[in-house]
Amino acid sequence: MNKDRLREEIAADEGCKLNDSGEHILYLDHLGLVTMGVGHLVVEGDPEHGHPVGTPVSEERVRQAFALDIAVTIEDCRRLCKNVGVDFDALDEEPQLIFCNMAFNLGYPRYSKFSRFWSNVAKAVDDPSYWNLVADEAVDSRWHDQVPNRAKRLVKRLRALSYG
């Protein structure tokens, strides 16, 4: 998988919040959770945890968090695919990119609950017509309503996989 393309896609979807001086800052995401950089959810253990929204964050720290988040996202997708008997690394790049984009946005706990989605992924590996059912399951989720532009774009890409 082209990790540069993955980083570019996710950065475009996530965006960054900057203050008037052009510095990265802590901000609230669409769910009201404290976030920084390229969609990095601030959690206990992060140096930024407990700091108020608007606190500046260094470019170096943003790059570090994003690199780690990308690595975790890829591992999450490997694990999710393995759970349904699919080798993530053997998939074509397009489904890899789509899965990673969704995993980055949803996080492993929420994405792992897409049971019918993942069940259809396992079938789509052998029969590309199942990609439409994978897309249908993505549409039939709260995620689709929470990030409609991103979701519609990714669903369209999933549907295109049906046509090989």
Side-chain angles (χ1 to χ4, degrees), residues 3-19:
K3 291 182 184 174
D4 288 335
R5 182 172 169 205
L6 175 62
R7 283 188 288 272
E8 288 170 13
E9 283 188 18
I10 290 175
D13 278 329
E14 294 289 332
C16 289
K17 299 283 188 214
L18 306 174
N19 63 16

Side-chain angles (χ1 to χ4, degrees), residues 29-64:
D29 71 2
H30 69 282
L31 297 175
L33 302 171
V34 178
T35 305
M36 64 171 232
V38 185
H40 176 79
L41 179 65
V42 176
V43 297
E44 201 172 316
D46 281 339
E48 302 78 15
H49 187 263
H51 292 268
V53 168
T55 300
V57 180
S58 73
E59 180 71 34
E60 179 182 332
R61 175 66 180 125
V62 167
R63 279 195 307 270
Q64 174 193 45

Side-chain angles (χ1 to χ4, degrees), residues 10 13-14 29-31 33 38-39 41 69 73 76-77 98-111 114 142-148 150-151 154:
I10 290 175
D13 278 329
E14 294 289 332
D29 71 2
H30 69 282
L31 297 175
L33 302 171
V38 185
L41 179 65
D69 289 345
T73 294
D76 286 349
C77 286
I98 296 166
F99 294 164
C100 284
N101 193 313
M102 291 178 71
F104 192 96
N105 187 230
L106 287 160
Y108 182 89
R110 286 177 43 205
Y111 202 19
F114 282 48
R142 283 188 295 157
W143 167 77
H144 192 269
D145 297 330
Q146 291 170 339
V147 289
R150 181 184 209 161
L154 293 174

Side-chain angles (χ1 to χ4, degrees), residues 1-4 6 74 88 93 96-97 100:
M1 172 176 36
N2 183 332
K3 291 182 184 174
D4 288 335
L6 175 62
I74 293 168
F88 175 78
E93 182 176 65
Q96 288 178 339
L97 291 167
C100 284

Side-chain angles (χ1 to χ4, degrees), residues 20-33:
D20 293 339
S21 301
E23 299 171 299
H24 291 277
I25 57 170
L26 298 181
Y27 62 94
L28 297 178
D29 71 2
H30 69 282
L31 297 175
L33 302 171

